[in-house]
Amino acid sequence: METAIEIVVRPTEIDVNGHVNNAKYVEYLEWGREDWYERLGLPYERLLELGAVTVTVNLNLNFRKECRQGERLGIVTRPERIGRTSFALRQEIRKPGGEVAADAVVTLVTIDPISRSSRPIPEELARPFRA
């Protein structure tokens, strides 16, 4: 399942070079992932009920085009691959017109919230990878 949100670049997200600071792209991607979980019906509280929360273990981010204050950006998130305890999401930050400003593959691991050790991915979370 692919999801998309739209954001507007705010003045506080701009660096001395007059474009979005690199660290903000990571934040934008996180907003996209949170929306993906929500639309799956898996907000944090539901993951806790399932005894499985997710943590980011790897982020591979490519910066393609600069983004500027006031631009409307789309954050697109979709399943990439799944393993036993980990999975990856492919994300893109798109400029108006669809041009890719940044793309990333984010790898996450499912952990038990109490023991803090990895655990198998619950079926509810695995389902979108099989669709």
Side-chain angles (χ1 to χ4, degrees):
M1 175 177 89
E2 180 177 286
T3 62
I5 61 170
E6 186 177 273
I7 64 164
V8 177
V9 177
R10 299 171 292 193
T12 56
E13 298 164 351
I14 303 302
D15 65 17
V16 296
N17 295 313
H19 57 216
V20 173
N21 180 274
N22 66 83
K24 290 297 178 179
Y25 285 79
V26 175
E27 203 171 315
Y28 295 166
L29 295 173
E30 185 170 359
W31 297 346
R33 289 193 307 279
E34 289 301 318
D35 178 70
W36 185 81
Y37 286 114
E38 293 282 335
R39 291 188 194 206
L40 279 177
L42 292 171
Y44 187 75
E45 296 77 22
R46 178 63 185 142
L47 289 171
L48 279 176
E49 289 171 4
L50 294 171
V53 294
T54 62
V55 293
T56 300
V57 295
N58 183 270
L59 171 64
N60 185 339
L61 174 56
N62 301 298
F63 300 97
R64 307 283 182 198
K65 298 285 181 185
E66 69 178 357
C67 297
R68 314 267 313 200
Q69 182 177 333
E71 277 190 299
R72 292 189 177 281
L73 304 175
I75 316 303
V76 178
T77 305
R78 65 181 166 274
E80 173 79 358
R81 65 180 179 274
I82 188 167
R84 191 178 76 79
T85 63
S86 67
F87 61 95
L89 297 172
R90 176 164 296 281
Q91 295 188 275
E92 293 176 346
I93 298 173
R94 296 182 184 162
K95 295 171 71 71
E99 184 178 29
V100 176
D103 58 84
V105 174
V106 182
T107 304
L108 302 106
V109 169
T110 309
I111 65 169
D112 178 285
I114 299 188
S115 71
R116 309 304 281 181
S117 58
S118 64
R119 57 141 294 166
I121 299 168
E123 179 54 32
E124 283 181 55
L125 181 53
R127 200 170 295 131
F129 290 86
R130 297 188 184 110

